[in-house]
C-alpha cells in the first residue's frame, strides 16, 4: 500500500521572513495530518530557517536540486552532504525548469540521482513531456526515455525508495492541468517501464506524484486515480490554506 506524498516546490520564492511565515502557516494547518507524507522544498538559502520552524512536526524538508560531487570547485552548486546538514530528507531532481533553463539532461539527472541515493536522501525525480511532444504523440516515448536514462545504474532496492513526479511541462504554472485520465495513463506507463527495468515490486512500490497546476479544486479528482500517489505542487504550495486543502485531498479513498 503506497502512502501518498504531497510536496510543495517553493521554487525561487520567499524571502527568509516570508519562508518562515509560510512554514508556520503550513505547520499550523497540517501538523497531525496522518496518512499522507508532506514535504516542503524551499530555496537553499532558507532551508535552515524552515527546518527550525518545522522542528519535529510531521512536515518534512526537501531541497530543489543538488550537485553530484561531494565537494569541489563547483561555484553556485550545493552537495547532498550540505543538504543533509540542513535537515533535508528529500530532494527534487530533474525539474523541467532545470532541464529547460539550466541545461539538465537525462545524464546529469542520473548523476544527481545516484549522488542523492548514496547520501540517503530521498529523490523526487521529475519527468514529463512538452506540449509539442504531446501533440506529436511522443509522450510515452519521452517519459520512457527520461525514466530509463534517469534510473541507469540504480538498483531495484534504491529505485523502490524513489518518488517519480510526472509533470507535463505544458501544465506547469499555466493553469492547464492534465485530465485525470491523461495523468493516470502516463502514470500507468511509468509503472510499466519500472516493471521492465526492475520487477513487479518496484513497479508497485514507487510512488508517482502528478504535478502541473494542481489546485484545491482539481486535486481530489487527480489523486483518487489508482496510480496517482499525491502531487508535486508549485504555485498552490505558497499559500498555507490551499496547500493544506491539496494535502487533505490526497487522503481521499481510491475510486
Ligand atoms: C512545479 O513547478 O513542480 C509545479 C507543479 O508548479 P505548478 O503547481 O505551479 O504548476
Amino acid at each position: 500500500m503506497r502512502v501518498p506524498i504531497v510536496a510543495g516546490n517553493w521554487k525561487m520564492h520567499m524571502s527568509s521572513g516570508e519562508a518562515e511565515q509560510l512554514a508556520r502557516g503550513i505547520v499550523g494547518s497540517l501538523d497531525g495530518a496522518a496518512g499522507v507524507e508532506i514535504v516542503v522544498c524551499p530555496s537553499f538559502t532558507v532551508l535552515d530557517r524552515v527546518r527550525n520552524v518545522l522542528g519535529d512536526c510531521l512536515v518534512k524538508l526537501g531541497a530543489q536540486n543538488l550537485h553530484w560531487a561531494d565537494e569541489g570547485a563547483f561555484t553556485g552548486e550545493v552537495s547532498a552532504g550540505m543538504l543533509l546538514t540542513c535537515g533535508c530528507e528529500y530532494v527534487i531532481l530533474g525539474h523541467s525548469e532545470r532541464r529547460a533553463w539550466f541545461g539538465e539532461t537525462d545524464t546529469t539527472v542520473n548523476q544527481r540521482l545516484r549522488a542523492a541515493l548514496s547520501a540517503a536522501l530521498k529523490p523526487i525525480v521529475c519527468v514529463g513531456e512538452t506540449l509539442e511532444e504531446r501533440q506529436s504523440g511522443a509522450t510515452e516515448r519521452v517519459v520512457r526515455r527520461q525514466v530509463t536514462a534517469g534510473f541507469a545504474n540504480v538498483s531495484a532496492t534504491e529505485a523502490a525508495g524513489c518518488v517519480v513526479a510526472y509533470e507535463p511541462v505544458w501544465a506547469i504554472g499555466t493553469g492547464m492541468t492534465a485530465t485525470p485520465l491523461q495523468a493516470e495513463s502516463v502514470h500507468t506507463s511509468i509503472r510499466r517501464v519500472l516493471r521492465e527495468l526492475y520487477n513487479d515490486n518496484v513497479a508497485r512500490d514507487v510512488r508517482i506524484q502528478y504535478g502541473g497546476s494542481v489546485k484545491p479544486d482539481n486535486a481530489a479528482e487527480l489523486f483518487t486515480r489508482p496510480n496517482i500517489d499525491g502531487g508535486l505542487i508549485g504555485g498552490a504550495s505558497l499559500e498555507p490554506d490551499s496547500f493544506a486543502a491539496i494535502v487533505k485531498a490526497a487522503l481521499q479513498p481510491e475510486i
Side-chain angles (χ1 to χ4, degrees), residues 9 11 95 97 167 171-174 211-215 232-235:
N9 175 10
K11 310 197 187 193
H95 191 281
E97 286 153 13
E167 299 207 302
I172 294 181
T174 59
S213 297
V214 177
K215 307 286 177 214
L232 181 55
I233 318 301

Side-chain angles (χ1 to χ4, degrees), residues 64-245:
Q64 298 174 20
N65 194 17
L66 58 67
H67 191 271
W68 53 87
D70 290 340
E71 61 177 352
F74 299 107
T75 303
E77 295 290 326
V78 169
S79 72
M82 291 168 180
L83 298 182
L84 285 174
T85 59
C86 287
C88 287
E89 186 170 330
Y90 281 89
V91 60
I92 298 171
L93 297 173
H95 191 281
S96 64
E97 286 153 13
R98 301 289 320 165
R99 294 179 193 254
W101 305 114
F102 303 101
E104 295 257 356
T105 62
D106 294 335
T107 306
T108 58
V109 172
N110 173 252
Q111 287 173 289
R112 292 175 205 276
L113 172 57
R114 287 189 289 137
L117 290 166
S118 304
L121 276 166
K122 296 175 186 162
I124 297 176
V125 182
C126 302
V127 298
E129 81 289 0
T130 62
L131 186 57
E132 217 175 26
E133 288 164 340
R134 173 159 285 269
Q135 286 171 340
S136 66
T139 299
E140 207 172 308
R141 182 166 49 79
V142 168
V143 171
R144 169 179 289 275
R145 188 205 72 222
Q146 291 170 330
V147 173
T148 305
F151 280 82
N153 299 310
V154 170
S155 73
T157 313
E158 289 172 327
C162 292
V163 176
V164 174
Y166 168 56
E167 299 207 302
V169 179
W170 49 270
I172 294 181
T174 59
M176 271 161 61
T177 318
T179 65
L181 272 182
Q182 284 173 322
E184 174 68 12
S185 151
V186 179
H187 285 225
T188 306
S189 74
I190 292 171
R191 287 202 199 285
R192 194 177 314 124
V193 175
L194 290 170
R195 188 169 300 112
E196 288 167 19
L197 291 176
Y198 298 105
N199 54 45
D200 284 345
N201 290 352
V202 173
R204 184 198 58 210
D205 292 346
V206 168
R207 290 177 294 174
I208 308 178
Q209 300 174 305
Y210 169 78
S213 297
V214 177
K215 307 286 177 214
D217 61 359
N218 61 21
E221 55 172 358
L222 286 156
F223 296 167
T224 45
R225 296 290 141 175
N227 286 294
I228 301 182
D229 309 309
L232 181 55
I233 318 301
S237 71
L238 300 176
E239 207 277 304
D241 288 346
S242 60
F243 188 60

